[in-house]
Amino acid sequence: MNKFLVSLVVVLGFAAPAAAQEFDNWYVGVSAVDTSISTATFEIDDSGYSLTLGYSFDAIEGFETSAELSYNELVTMDLGGGNIRSDLGLNSTDLSVLIGKQFDGVTPFFRFGYTHGAGDVYVADGTTASSASNSGNGYIFGLGLDIAVSQKSGVRFEYSQSDFDGDELDALRVGLIGRF
């Protein structure tokens, strides 16, 4: 939790002076996410969605810099069969910095930041039920491409990887970005 607070203060410290000047730099996004999760004991592939709130600011001359907060619903699975009901849900919240360079409406970018992941498992066999929850913190990094469709909207393609103490999460995102 302390790493999250330090990351939040740093990102907001960069963005706060610019945020006070204009509202035009804010944007929102929604993406479809294809996820692969690898741990020491299992591997899961599923799809979900991502919701993003971002702010663009000038931090590095000649580059586009943004701070993003994203909520990602990564896995929602019914694993049961017959009389057994088994549900698995995984999500994450990311706080990231994006640095990119625009070339005629196309902006390749690099993402790095902090992520917090949480998972829930529920198993029932008709007579008994059990559930468990777990969460962890880690780092996220990735590469992407924003393609402007108009002055206020664009399409985003991105690959990112997160690490939670050796558990690896790979995500491929395709989505829309809308600027205010």
Side-chain angles (χ1 to χ4, degrees):
M1 185 63 163
N2 289 336
K3 290 180 187 178
F4 176 75
L5 292 176
V6 169
S7 300
L8 182 61
V9 168
V10 169
V11 169
L12 291 178
F14 279 118
Q21 295 173 6
E22 54 186 65
F23 190 67
D24 292 341
N25 293 357
W26 289 95
Y27 60 91
V28 294
V30 60
S31 300
V33 182
D34 184 48
T35 306
S36 175
I37 300 165
S38 299
T39 72
T41 56
F42 65 87
E43 187 168 318
I44 295 175
D45 293 315
D46 199 20
S47 58
Y49 65 89
S50 177
L51 303 174
T52 299
L53 174 65
Y55 186 82
S56 299
F57 55 97
D58 294 325
I60 303 169
E61 188 175 330
F63 291 90
E64 293 195 8
T65 311
S66 299
E68 285 190 358
L69 178 65
S70 297
Y71 172 78
N72 311 290
E73 188 72 32
L74 302 170
V75 175
T76 305
M77 299 180 83
D78 178 5
L79 304 172
N83 292 335
I84 297 175
R85 178 174 165 225
S86 179
D87 299 318
L88 171 67
L90 299 170
N91 62 65
S92 71
T93 303
D94 307 333
L95 182 61
S96 304
V97 173
L98 281 66
I99 298 173
K101 179 76 172 168
Q102 185 178 26
F103 301 98
D104 295 325
V106 177
T107 307
F109 64 86
F110 174 72
R111 170 187 302 276
F112 61 94
Y114 166 84
T115 185
H116 175 78
D120 298 308
V121 176
Y122 174 81
V123 178
D125 66 2
T127 57
T128 60
S130 179
S131 64
S133 297
N134 195 7
S135 64
N137 301 316
Y139 297 96
I140 183 171
F141 60 92
L143 298 170
L145 192 66
D146 284 344
I147 301 171
V149 176
S150 71
Q151 187 175 5
K152 296 287 187 181
S153 64
V155 178
R156 175 173 285 180
F157 302 94
E158 180 180 5
Y159 168 78
S160 64
Q161 188 175 78
S162 302
D163 185 280
F164 299 95
D165 296 325
D167 296 340
E168 191 175 287
L169 186 147
D170 296 311
L172 184 60
R173 299 169 198 215
V174 177
L176 301 173
I177 298 290
R179 298 187 181 278
F180 295 105

